[in-house]
Amino acid sequence: MKQRKKTAKLRSDTAIFKLGVLAKEKELVRRKLVITATALRQKATQLAVIAREKEAIRRKLVVTAKSLATIAKEKEIVGRKLTLTVEKLNLQAERLAIVIVEKKAILASIGDAVMACDKDGKVILFNRKAVEMTGFSAKEVVGKHYSDAIKFIQEVDDKPSPDFIAQAMKTGQKITMADNTLLIRKDGVRVPVADSAEPIRYVHGVLIGCVVVFRDVTKEKETDKAKSEFISVASHQLKTPATIISLYAEMLLKGGGIMTPKQREYVSEIYDANRRIVDIINTLLNISRIEMGIFSMEPVPVDIVAFLKNGIQQLNGGLKGKNIALQEEYHQLQHTVSIDKLLLNMVFSNLLSNSIKYTSSGGAISVKSQKVKKDEQINGRIIKESSLLISISDNGCGIPLDSQSKIFTKFFRSDNARREHTDGTGLGLYIVKSILDQIRGEVWFWSKEKEGTIFYFTIPLAGAKQKQVIA
Amino acid sequence: MTDNKKQTILIVEDELPLLNVYADRFDEEGFSVFKANNGQEGLDIAIKEKPDLILLDILMPVMDGLTMMQKLREDNTWGKTVPIILLTNLSADEQRIKKIVSENKPTYYLVKLDWSLSAIIEKAKAAVLPSQK
Ligand SMILES: Nc1ncnc2c1ncn2[C@@H]1O[C@H](COP(=O)(O)OP(=O)(O)OP(=O)(O)O)[C@@H](O)[C@H]1O
Ligand SMILES: [Mg+2]
């Protein structure tokens, strides 16, 4: 029994224990359940968030889809536009090509020779006319420096012309070639040309090159020559009648008491007017001779100082008559240069008589001589070669600014000069310039209206070349 | 002036008004004047009359002044030495004329237009002076 009891007790104890364990387990399970519940709640919350996010994404997707559609549409439009642009570009390219062809055609067929060079002076373009005129092919010239490609010389002395292309590029200004320039063709033939060089500049004044245009002036020269010949012949025809008037008027004036004082005055007027006609005829003859190049140039040693003094002496009447004070200033007591006396006299007497003519009574004139060297600068002019510089200054009426550029043109007279002196041909300075062109001298001036004028001219020390008339 | 022996001058000029005015002026100055209209006439009169001085135009019809002068200077002892004053319009030819003048002494030249009658008389008197001595 005891055993039974014991067993029973044992059993109950075990049961109690078991129950305890169970309780503990239950507690654990409960706790776990609580934890699980919490986790579950959390999960639920998370799920809700996710669900919300998903919803948002979905919504976004819808928006994206919509904008994608729009973009697609836009792309379509852009695509169309691009196609259009391409078409337009093609068109423009075609037009450009046409323009280029046109330009090339113009350049090629243009009546003037055109040569373009880059900023280093390398030839980059040489048109058809240039080829025709020079005898050089474009291939022979393009890529070379222009000075190696074509040569320009001065007709007067066969020396190379001043480099007007370099000058244009240096100064940035259009430079016109000097008169009487010859181009030497490939075959050595000389062609008279007139030309100009114009620098080409980019937006900010950056030099990119130079365009040189030149043309054959053989025809023009021939026309000029015909004109000069006409003037020459006409003047010659006028000489005899003018001489007859002059001599018969002289006969009357000489013959003491034949005429009344009034009649004598009339004849005297005829004589004076005829003298003017004679002067004009002489001037025209000189011009035609110079222009046709048929005057002879006979350089002889001339003491310039004595020459100037003598020239002044010749015009002494005018100086005294207007009570003009004359100042003379010579660099040396004498200075001998080889030059044609007659031509030099025409230059100096024209300039000095202008000074006298255009200075009022009581004015002042000065005549100066000095030696100048190459590259020296005298009143804005750069001296080209060692020379004697003669200047004639006056405090007369001066040359109005707007007339200054025309002063060496044939027949030009400024308004102020015309007002004061109705007589005058306007040929004096043209003769001066033409003669100096022939003897490599130069002439320029400074002037201010109502203040005065200074004329400068140079006589090259190297002397002039002999030139015979071809009879 | 040597008694009743007038200085003689031959004027050769194709322009009549000029010829006449020269003639009148030289007549006034006491010269005995012969007139000719061209070089051929001038040559004939010159050879016949042997004037003391010849005033000679250059540009003339039939025979020009330079040819007449050359002919005179060529074949005649008198012609070789007679003083000649050339009247020229040809200022362009100065060089050539100067040369001819220097080769045909005694010859002088005057450019028409640039002189007066008194200048011609002066020149003429100076030219005949040596032959008077
Ligand atoms: N010393 C000077 N002072 C003021 N003006 C001058 C002077 N020299 C020249 N001129 C101007 O230049 C013009 C041209 O001069 P140019 O000698 O060629 O002709 P001109 O004197 O008018 O005529 P001509 O020489 O036949 O008498 C003059 O009309 C005058 O206007
Ligand atoms: Mg003048």
Side-chain angles (χ1 to χ4, degrees):
Chain A
M1 240 330 256
K2 220 194 148 186
Q3 206 50 52
R4 258 207 287 27
K5 248 194 161 173
K6 223 183 162 180
T7 313
K9 198 192 171 255
L10 252 172
R11 269 190 199 152
S12 74
D13 278 353
T14 311
I16 285 165
F17 182 74
K18 273 185 182 166
L19 272 175
V21 171
L22 267 176
K24 258 183 208 162
E25 272 175 5
K26 254 191 187 166
E27 180 56 23
L28 264 171
V29 168
R30 197 194 56 84
R31 270 192 211 153
K32 271 186 191 162
L33 273 176
V34 172
I35 289 168
T36 310
T38 318
L40 274 175
R41 240 178 280 128
Q42 270 175 4
K43 270 250 169 77
T45 322
Q46 272 172 6
L47 273 175
V49 172
I50 287 168
R52 249 180 270 138
E53 278 173 359
K54 270 194 180 156
E55 173 61 20
I57 287 169
R58 198 194 56 84
R59 277 203 207 128
K60 270 188 196 158
L61 275 174
V62 172
V63 174
T64 309
K66 266 187 204 155
S67 60
L68 271 176
T70 322
I71 288 168
K73 242 181 243 162
E74 275 169 6
K75 266 195 181 157
E76 170 68 23
I77 292 168
V78 170
R80 268 194 222 139
K81 273 190 190 157
L82 273 174
T83 318
L84 263 169
T85 311
V86 167
E87 267 163 28
K88 262 191 205 156
L89 274 175
N90 279 339
L91 213 92
Q92 260 165 15
E94 209 170 291
R95 273 195 206 140
L96 260 179
I98 291 170
V99 169
I100 289 169
V101 168
E102 270 174 8
K103 283 211 173 134
K104 277 203 174 148
I106 290 170
L107 264 181
S109 61
I110 208 165
D112 291 352
V114 180
M115 175 177 83
C117 25
D118 66 11
K119 64 179 194 315
D120 302 317
K122 271 212 194 96
V123 178
I124 50 178
L125 185 147
F126 204 68
N127 79 343
R128 190 154 65 203
K129 190 76 195 181
V131 169
E132 193 182 299
M133 256 178 77
T134 62
F136 290 108
S137 70
K139 246 193 216 146
E140 286 174 297
V141 171
V142 171
K144 275 195 198 155
H145 191 267
Y146 66 82
S147 60
D148 298 325
I150 47 171
K151 302 247 183 300
F152 293 107
I153 60 164
Q154 309 178 22
E155 195 173 3
V156 219
D157 52 11
D158 286 3
K159 285 195 179 151
S161 301
D163 192 342
F164 65 107
I165 301 173
Q167 228 176 315
M169 294 218 259
K170 209 166 98 187
T171 58
Q173 270 158 18
K174 180 174 173 171
I175 306 278
T176 308
M177 174 102 264
D179 288 346
N180 303 318
T181 298
L182 301 176
L183 165 88
I184 303 183
R185 283 174 53 90
K186 190 183 179 182
D187 56 14
V189 172
R190 294 133 176 260
V191 188
V193 288
D195 37 279
S196 65
E198 193 162 8
I200 306 298
R201 288 167 170 280
Y202 200 55
V203 227
H204 300 297
V206 185
L207 182 78
I208 53 173
C210 189
V211 173
V212 185
V213 180
F214 50 101
R215 71 201 147 79
D216 187 338
V217 291
T218 312
K219 279 257 163 58
E220 284 163 51
K221 290 226 147 173
E222 276 164 10
T223 316
D224 266 3
K225 189 155 177 266
K227 262 195 257 174
S228 300
E229 271 164 8
F230 174 77
I231 290 179
S232 169
V233 170
S235 312
H236 269 296
Q237 294 295 321
L238 289 170
K239 268 183 156 185
T240 304
T243 307
I244 292 169
I245 294 172
S246 174
L247 297 186
Y248 278 86
E250 190 189 341
M251 275 306 248
L252 284 173
L253 288 171
K254 175 191 63 68
I258 324 159
M259 291 182 290
T260 66
K262 262 288 169 212
Q263 286 170 331
R264 175 166 292 275
E265 195 187 309
Y266 298 156
V267 177
S268 181
E269 289 290 351
I270 293 174
Y271 185 81
D272 289 347
N274 188 63
R275 188 70 235 169
R276 263 164 67 187
I277 295 179
V278 167
D279 284 345
I280 294 169
I281 294 171
N282 274 333
T283 305
L284 289 174
L285 276 172
N286 281 330
I287 285 186
S288 55
R289 279 161 67 196
I290 293 165
E291 285 181 343
M292 292 192 287
I294 56 159
F295 67 98
S296 56
M297 210 147 78
E298 201 186 9
V300 290
V302 177
D303 171 13
I304 300 296
V305 177
F307 169 87
L308 293 175
K309 285 179 180 166
N310 181 52
I312 291 167
Q313 199 50 45
Q314 279 176 25
L315 294 171
N316 204 31
L319 287 163
K320 287 269 142 61
K322 288 179 94 174
N323 194 26
I324 290 172
L326 183 91
Q327 200 203 333
E328 293 165 70
E329 202 181 305
Y330 305 113
H331 65 292
Q332 278 170 205
L333 281 176
Q334 64 170 72
H335 193 142
T336 304
V337 176
S338 171
I339 194 159
D340 187 298
K341 226 174 165 168
L342 234 105
L343 293 178
L344 185 62
N345 189 46
M346 272 197 252
V347 170
F348 182 63
S349 65
N350 262 307
L351 293 177
L352 185 59
S353 64
N354 275 351
S355 278
I356 297 170
K357 188 169 175 180
Y358 299 114
T359 299
S360 39
S361 296
I365 293 177
S366 84
V367 173
K368 279 182 205 161
S369 69
Q370 70 185 88
K371 246 183 359 197
V372 288
K373 287 202 192 73
K374 186 175 186 288
D375 292 332
E376 212 173 304
Q377 201 161 334
I378 306 286
N379 219 335
R381 177 67 63 118
I382 298 160
I383 303 296
K384 279 201 300 204
E385 63 178 302
S386 289
S387 306
L388 274 187
L389 175 76
I390 314 296
S391 59
I392 300 128
S393 59
D394 63 59
N395 60 357
C397 67
I399 304 164
L401 209 61
D402 59 356
S403 297
Q404 295 195 354
S405 61
K406 301 172 209 140
I407 222 75
F408 293 108
T409 321
K410 246 190 262 189
F411 301 113
F412 180 83
R413 306 191 67 217
S414 67
D415 289 340
N416 62 340
R418 232 192 300 221
R419 235 178 289 126
E420 292 283 323
H421 302 270
T422 42
D423 66 315
T425 58
L427 289 170
L429 288 180
Y430 174 75
I431 291 184
V432 167
K433 175 95 173 65
S434 310
I435 291 175
L436 286 168
D437 278 350
Q438 298 282 341
I439 59 173
R440 292 199 330 272
E442 288 195 87
V443 56
W444 68 102
F445 64 93
W446 171 93
S447 187
K448 200 163 174 194
E449 200 175 355
K450 298 197 179 99
E451 274 187 28
T453 306
I454 310 172
F455 267 93
Y456 301 90
F457 75 92
T458 57
I459 306 167
L461 284 174
K465 236 177 47 171
Q466 180 109 6
K467 193 181 154 216
Q468 282 297 339
V469 187
I470 317 117
Chain B
M1 203 149 271
T2 17
D3 298 330
N4 59 29
K5 216 199 154 210
K6 276 184 166 185
Q7 296 274 4
T8 50
I9 183 168
L10 166 64
I11 305 171
V12 192
E13 163 69 65
D14 63 317
E15 284 285 339
L16 274 184
L18 288 178
L19 180 60
N20 290 336
V21 80
Y22 301 146
D24 286 0
R25 190 69 185 83
F26 274 97
D27 188 56
E28 281 179 17
E29 286 296 320
F31 282 80
S32 163
V33 180
F34 300 102
K35 299 197 267 187
N37 280 314
N38 62 58
Q40 188 56 58
E41 243 183 76
L43 192 64
D44 296 344
I45 298 176
I47 290 165
K48 197 167 132 230
E49 304 289 345
K50 300 191 172 39
D52 297 316
L53 173 71
I54 299 173
L55 195 64
L56 185 56
D57 187 22
I58 292 185
L59 281 186
M60 286 183 297
V62 187
M63 184 192 287
D64 67 85
L66 291 179
T67 314
M68 175 185 155
M69 180 168 77
Q70 257 154 13
K71 291 220 149 117
L72 267 182
R73 294 286 191 238
E74 259 167 29
D75 60 18
N76 189 308
T77 44
W78 166 82
K80 237 188 189 74
T81 53
V82 61
I84 296 174
I85 298 175
L86 287 172
L87 297 173
T88 166
N89 253 337
L90 302 167
S91 38
D93 257 8
E94 258 161 40
Q95 228 58 40
R96 195 162 70 98
I97 304 247
K98 268 187 199 160
K99 195 166 161 262
I100 292 168
V101 165
S102 68
E103 287 167 358
N104 286 281
K105 278 179 185 146
T107 305
Y108 312 86
Y109 84 105
L110 280 169
V111 180
K112 279 184 186 175
L113 273 185
D114 295 340
W115 41 246
S116 55
L117 286 169
S118 49
I120 299 180
I121 299 291
E122 208 175 288
K123 197 106 185 172
K125 284 185 170 168
V128 288
L129 217 71
S131 71
Q132 264 186 322
K133 277 179 190 167

